[in-house]
Amino acid sequence: MRHIQRRTIGGVVLLAGIAAVVSFRHMHELCLRHGEDHFAAVLIPLAVDGAIVVASMSILLANRYGSRGGVLAWSLLVVASLASLGANIAVAEPSVIGRIIAAWPSVALIGSYELLMSQVRRLSATSSRVQDREETLSAGGSDVSEAGDEVCGDLALPVYRAGRPDLEIVSLHRSAWRWAQENRRPDGALPSGRVIATQFSRSPRWGRWIKNAGLAGDLG
């Protein structure tokens, strides 16, 4: 199954690459037609399609932390997608077939990239369900963190190491960690990631995130 998933992702990446090259050429031609120099004609298409990539990655990252993504990320994704589509159509031969042909690379790029993101989300969700199952089976075990928790730890720690995160988010994370410490099991072990998440109306992955960050000393 994983082999098939890897091949599927590889195919999506190849399709996105082909579509990106054709879309780039169309936007490059449009920029030259409207008086931009060669350097700007190279940078502008990269900025447009790059905005789609950045916005999609931002939404994906937000999903992994239990959020749907901000208004800015979604707005940027929509605007950049429309700009890419419009630029490709603008260089087309003024006929229905010509415009469909010219629009296809942009549609394929946007669609294939979103397919890639959905595959990543699906793999992440599958991994999370396996970890939740292992966590449930080991719920009565020792006070060592449940199986699968370590996988999520690395996702959390860079937030505190790489700069200045939102203070409200940090406060929420620390509150969740304090709650976990104050509500240990009868045997002295910390609550499971699922229990922590349920207390704060978040996803199980978020609960494991809190637990590993707290155990690593990143939540004070």
Side-chain angles (χ1 to χ4, degrees), residues 4-170:
I4 295 175
Q5 288 174 327
R6 285 195 293 269
R7 292 186 64 180
T8 300
I9 291 176
V12 173
V13 170
L14 177 61
L15 173 60
I18 294 172
V21 171
V22 179
S23 179
F24 174 87
R25 292 185 63 184
H26 285 170
M27 283 191 281
H28 181 264
E29 179 183 344
L30 182 65
C31 290
L32 293 177
R33 284 186 189 179
H34 288 79
E36 298 292 341
D37 59 35
H38 287 280
F39 186 62
V42 170
L43 294 182
I44 291 173
L46 293 177
V48 174
D49 288 337
I52 297 174
V53 174
V54 170
S56 296
M57 291 299 293
S58 177
I59 294 169
L60 175 63
L61 182 61
N63 289 341
R64 297 185 72 174
Y65 288 103
S67 173
R68 295 178 61 85
V71 174
L72 178 59
W74 281 104
S75 299
L76 181 62
L77 178 61
V78 171
V79 171
S81 298
L82 291 175
S84 177
L85 183 62
N88 278 270
I89 293 176
V91 299
E93 176 186 317
S95 66
V96 173
I97 295 178
R99 285 168 181 159
I100 291 174
I101 293 173
W104 182 249
S106 180
V107 173
L109 174 61
I110 297 168
S112 59
Y113 192 78
E114 289 307 311
L115 281 175
L116 177 60
M117 291 299 99
S118 68
Q119 289 292 327
V120 173
R121 292 187 190 100
R122 187 173 294 111
L123 287 173
S124 177
T126 301
S127 176
S128 180
R129 284 195 296 270
V130 171
Q131 291 162 11
D132 292 342
R133 190 177 303 116
E134 293 174 342
E135 182 176 311
T136 300
L137 292 173
S138 62
S142 66
D143 56 2
V144 179
S145 62
E146 287 81 19
D149 280 357
E150 293 81 1
V151 177
C152 297
D154 291 341
L155 299 175
L157 305 186
V159 175
Y160 296 95
R161 295 173 180 165
R164 300 177 59 187
D166 188 288
L167 294 180
E168 291 185 4
I169 296 176
V170 174

Side-chain angles (χ1 to χ4, degrees), residues 166-194:
D166 188 288
L167 294 180
E168 291 185 4
I169 296 176
V170 174
S171 178
L172 174 62
H173 293 170
R174 288 175 175 169
S175 295
W177 175 237
R178 284 196 299 271
W179 181 90
Q181 292 176 301
E182 294 168 358
N183 293 270
R184 291 177 178 268
R185 297 172 182 167
D187 62 358
L190 289 168
S192 68
R194 181 185 292 276

